[in-house]
Amino acid sequence: MSDKQKRGLSVESEGKQAGKSKLSRRKFMGDTLKTACGTALLGLGMGTYSRQASSFPAWTIRPPGALPEDEFSGACIRCGLCVRDCPYDMLRLAELGEQVALGTPYFVAREKPCEMCEDIPCAAACPTNALSHELKNIDDARMGLAVLIDQEECIAFQGLRCEVCYNVCPLEGEAITIEMQPNRRSGKHALFIPVVHSDACTGCGKCEKACILEEAAIKVLPTHLAKGLLGKHYRLGWKQKEKAGHSLVTPDIKHRYNLPEGVRYDYNKGGLELPPEAKLERDSPFSSNPLESLKKLQNQESK
Amino acid sequence: MVKQTARNQFPGQQAIEKKGWWLAHKWLILRRMVQLGILALFLAGPLLDVWIVKGNLASSLTLEFLPLSDPYVMLQGLMSGHFPTTEGLIGVAIVLLFYALVGGRVYCSWVCPVNIVTDAAAWFRRKLGIKVSSQFSRSTRYWLLGLTLILPLITSAIVWELFNPVSLMFRGIIFGIGWAWMVILAIFAFDVFVSQRGWCGHLCPVGAFYSLLGHKSIVRVSAQKREQCDDCNDCFVVCPEPKVIRPALKGADKGISPLIDEANCTNCGRCIDVCDEDVFNFSSRFKD
Ligand code: SF4
Ligand code: SF4
Ligand code: SF4
Ligand code: SF4
């Protein structure tokens, strides 16, 4: 504020004292406004940054029982008690500079997967329920979902027997099964393909850790990345039929073929079915003697 | 004037001469021992496999039995719409009660690791004789406190904990520091070169929260023998919140009690240390 303005102010006001208090009130208001604006700006910056920081990278996995990511970031107070109570020491808190939201717990399956402790000590230790205490059975944990993501490199697809992921899976036979497929390369062998089932996979990451490739072909991904979602309006006919016990649409009329008299078509019985006489004739549509065929042709032409 | 400057650069000189170095640093040393001791307790687990305390300041479990939780962080969680477990709440209650009794900002001077950094910065600043300091209001911290509590309401995430230097430093030391040491360095530089007692005295919303928490605490420093004050100014120089001293020390004729009854007094005891006239001592709200 310039001197002139100041003088103007004190002239305006009735007494010297009043002028002073008015001035200081102005200054106070100005300062407050400045602080308020600064705070608001800062808040905007911090809020925006937090939005970015909360995008959880796909190669990291939250401990079992973790709330969905948007809730987790409002629940976890970054105390590290889960980290401390994991007997396998495979959890860690994100440090400044890492891509995971600062101070929150995570693990990397390829380094150390979750051993799926029966008593879930990590979740039990959490003072905020960010790792939900409602998770009672570790088999119900959904830390992510394993996906056999590289079906070009996975050696099972080359026709080699591997099945390491299948064998290490704590829910072997449920979360991963081996499905046989024909081996088109050799024409006579089978491919033994590991298939993950989302209704059982906990996302523990043991398969990813065990994959024998240099870069795992099977990876645990965040469920929302790994899963598709069928439109709610979709109805699968055969399931509806099963539910209802009968077909829900008018049954198809039996298809009829436009065939010469006496000829029938039945797919299940070897296709075309000719009348018995025709059959006799057609037993050998061509004579065994090629000269006869030539003769037939000549006769036709001369006619 | 020259003499005064020299004194302000070396506050407590007279106290050292009179009481000896140890007594003139008694509370400072005790505080550092407590601050480092707490860190050591948390570090003993991961480093030596001696598990006395687990977790960090946000929430911890001592001897598998005593839960302690930071009410400020928990409050941010609440504001984001999330309710903690009973154990978490018990931890909060214990901590709330403790600081409400001994003084909220005891957290600052006896627990917070950043305090070691900012005290060092203040010391450095005195030694370098830096006088310029950007002036802004000490109430800025309450604005920031408000902000850190409103942000979770809007974003439903605990936003402040992405930035909070206090948890950054404490957690960093125990769980891995990453780039957090840069933040600590920045605070040090800010306090030395930009603003005197800038962080703890003006900005830190954690300190602001705890000041509110303990503003009616029982344990208080008192300028009991204020009539002996020889106006050496040393206490004002070392105090991280010099404003809190004046009313108690100089308010005798206005009938103000010698009790430093100010939310922002951190109960650090430095004024007791540096006063060669033994004006100050720890006292209680009910004594005077
Ligand atoms: S279930 Fe066990 S191994 Fe898995 S994160 Fe929790 S404590 Fe660690
Ligand atoms: S124990 Fe809970 S609150 Fe603490 S770091 Fe782990 S998930 Fe977060
Ligand atoms: S992540 Fe892999 S190993 Fe773990 S349950 Fe799922 S399929 Fe099995
Ligand atoms: S003001 Fe903040 S940084 Fe300073 S000592 Fe207190 S809590 Fe720690």
Side-chain angles (χ1 to χ4, degrees):
Chain A
M1 197 176 271
S2 75
D3 267 340
K4 216 175 171 185
Q5 271 173 306
K6 265 189 205 165
R7 240 177 288 135
L9 257 176
S10 51
V11 169
E12 262 170 43
S13 57
E14 286 152 11
K16 231 182 179 176
Q17 199 54 41
K20 229 182 187 171
S21 83
K22 201 167 186 178
L23 244 180
S24 69
R25 192 160 66 231
R26 274 216 176 176
K27 184 169 152 29
F28 173 74
M29 299 272 276
D31 281 352
T32 309
L33 207 68
K34 245 190 269 171
T35 320
C37 289
T39 312
L41 266 178
L42 189 72
L44 201 66
M46 294 206 298
T48 317
Y49 174 80
S50 90
R51 274 288 151 93
Q52 282 165 9
S54 66
S55 57
F56 193 59
W59 44 269
T60 50
I61 309 174
R62 292 274 186 231
L67 300 177
E69 210 36 44
D70 51 339
E71 279 176 67
F72 191 83
S73 57
C76 171
I77 56 168
R78 299 119 212 260
C79 66
L81 282 169
C82 51
V83 175
R84 288 297 182 240
D85 276 6
C86 172
Y88 297 96
D89 221 3
M90 34 70 64
L91 296 175
R92 58 181 188 228
L93 294 185
E95 296 170 10
L96 193 64
E98 288 177 18
Q99 285 176 46
V100 183
L102 182 63
T104 54
Y106 73 97
F107 68 95
V108 177
R110 191 64 164 166
E111 287 164 15
K112 266 186 176 180
C114 170
E115 300 290 337
M116 288 178 55
C117 312
E118 242 169 69
D119 48 348
I120 326 175
C122 49
C126 178
T128 61
N129 252 329
L131 306 180
S132 173
H133 292 198
E134 270 161 40
L135 181 69
K136 295 281 183 260
N137 181 353
I138 187 70
D139 290 350
D140 295 335
R142 292 293 178 268
M143 294 170 260
L145 178 60
V147 180
L148 213 176
I149 201 162
D150 192 344
Q151 311 200 343
E152 292 171 335
E153 295 294 318
C154 169
I155 63 166
F157 284 85
Q158 321 293 332
L160 303 171
R161 297 294 298 265
C162 170
E163 291 144 50
V164 168
C165 51
Y166 167 77
N167 284 314
V168 296
C169 178
L171 294 161
E172 172 186 344
E174 288 172 62
I176 304 192
T177 54
I178 297 290
E179 313 283 327
M180 279 200 269
Q181 285 175 16
N183 184 341
R184 290 189 202 285
R185 182 181 57 80
S186 73
K188 48 190 166 194
H189 302 99
L191 304 179
F192 293 80
I193 303 298
V195 177
V196 181
H197 302 277
S198 63
D199 55 351
C201 170
T202 62
C204 71
K206 296 211 80 168
C207 49
E208 179 175 343
K209 166 75 180 164
C211 177
I212 58 136
L213 302 194
E214 263 172 39
E215 175 73 45
I218 190 166
K219 290 191 165 99
V220 174
L221 299 181
T223 311
H224 71 277
L225 287 185
K227 284 287 286 176
L229 186 62
L230 193 65
K232 282 207 178 68
H233 59 284
Y234 259 84
R235 299 285 177 273
L236 300 175
W238 58 93
K239 288 203 174 153
Q240 297 294 313
K241 192 171 164 184
E242 211 171 274
K243 234 205 262 164
H246 57 85
S247 174
L248 296 175
V249 290
T250 359
D252 285 341
I253 21 171
K254 199 167 178 343
H255 189 81
R256 283 204 305 213
Y257 297 94
N258 230 352
L259 293 171
E261 191 109 15
V263 180
R264 279 167 31 83
Y265 182 84
D266 192 337
Y267 178 79
N268 291 325
K269 288 188 189 145
L272 274 185
E273 219 176 282
L274 302 178
E277 343 64 87
K279 224 183 210 166
L280 270 178
E281 228 174 72
R282 290 201 69 180
D283 255 352
S284 54
F286 303 104
S287 160
S288 49
N289 183 357
L291 278 178
E292 258 178 45
S293 301
L294 259 178
K295 242 186 240 163
K296 239 188 206 169
L297 208 67
Q298 269 172 356
N299 284 348
Q300 265 173 10
E301 264 169 20
S302 63
K303 262 182 213 168
Chain B
M1 191 60 216
V2 175
K3 214 176 142 218
Q4 191 66 39
T5 315
R7 281 211 59 160
N8 289 354
Q9 235 163 324
F10 305 101
Q13 207 55 46
Q14 245 146 344
I16 294 175
E17 278 158 26
K18 209 160 164 184
K19 307 194 270 191
W21 193 92
W22 284 102
L23 273 184
H25 291 86
K26 178 172 136 198
W27 292 106
L28 180 65
I29 291 165
L30 268 175
R31 276 199 303 126
R32 291 293 177 258
M33 274 164 56
V34 171
Q35 280 165 325
L36 297 176
I38 292 173
L39 270 172
L41 279 179
F42 278 97
L43 274 174
L47 292 187
L48 308 172
D49 213 23
V50 179
W51 293 101
I52 301 165
V53 189
K54 291 190 293 200
N56 61 41
L57 285 186
S59 193
S60 65
L61 190 64
T62 306
L63 295 171
E64 296 294 335
F65 141 81
L66 174 70
L68 296 173
S69 293
D70 184 346
Y72 176 48
V73 188
M74 284 290 199
L75 184 59
Q76 293 174 60
L78 269 184
M79 296 300 277
S80 77
H82 186 83
F83 208 74
T85 64
T86 323
E87 194 167 327
L89 286 178
I90 294 173
V92 167
I94 298 172
V95 172
L96 276 178
L97 193 72
F98 176 76
Y99 286 113
L101 292 179
V102 301
R105 292 205 64 194
V106 160
Y107 177 86
C108 295
S109 56
W110 292 79
V111 178
C112 178
V114 176
N115 167 268
I116 303 177
V117 177
T118 54
D119 272 0
W123 180 87
F124 215 65
R125 195 183 167 86
R126 280 200 300 272
K127 293 290 146 196
L128 293 179
I130 300 174
K131 284 272 146 22
V132 281
S133 173
S134 99
Q135 295 293 325
F136 51 99
S137 161
R138 279 185 183 263
S139 66
T140 311
R141 51 188 154 192
Y142 294 105
W143 286 87
L144 290 181
L145 173 62
L147 179 69
T148 59
L149 293 178
I150 286 172
L151 273 177
L153 201 68
I154 301 170
T155 63
S156 74
I158 303 182
V159 176
W160 175 239
E161 289 309 302
L162 294 172
F163 303 91
N164 187 354
V166 180
S167 38
L168 214 66
M169 183 173 178
F170 200 89
R171 190 179 53 235
I173 292 171
I174 295 159
F175 286 91
I177 193 112
W179 287 90
W181 59 270
M182 293 274 287
V183 177
I184 298 160
L185 210 66
I187 287 183
F188 182 79
F190 178 73
D191 267 24
V192 173
F193 300 110
V194 183
S195 177
Q196 185 177 21
R197 295 282 181 186
W199 177 254
C200 294
H202 296 76
L203 293 177
C204 178
V206 185
F209 175 86
Y210 278 96
S211 79
L212 296 181
L213 174 54
H215 75 125
K216 284 281 167 250
S217 73
I218 295 178
V219 181
R220 284 280 150 217
V221 174
S222 164
Q224 218 154 23
K225 301 188 194 145
R226 55 187 168 185
E227 62 288 346
Q228 291 180 18
C229 170
D230 63 358
D231 289 318
C232 73
N233 221 26
D234 279 3
C235 53
F236 287 101
V237 175
V238 292
C239 179
E241 302 280 345
K243 270 188 180 161
V244 306
I245 298 182
R246 181 163 304 277
L249 186 62
K250 298 292 164 199
D253 37 353
K254 284 184 206 138
I256 300 171
S257 131
L259 199 73
I260 302 186
D261 193 8
E262 296 270 348
N264 272 312
C265 168
T266 68
N267 276 359
C268 70
R270 267 311 265 159
C271 51
I272 307 178
D273 279 348
V274 297
C275 181
D276 61 316
E277 300 293 339
D278 281 331
V279 168
F280 301 95
N281 64 342
F282 271 117
S283 174
S284 98
R285 163 173 309 280
F286 304 119
K287 246 194 189 153
D288 304 87

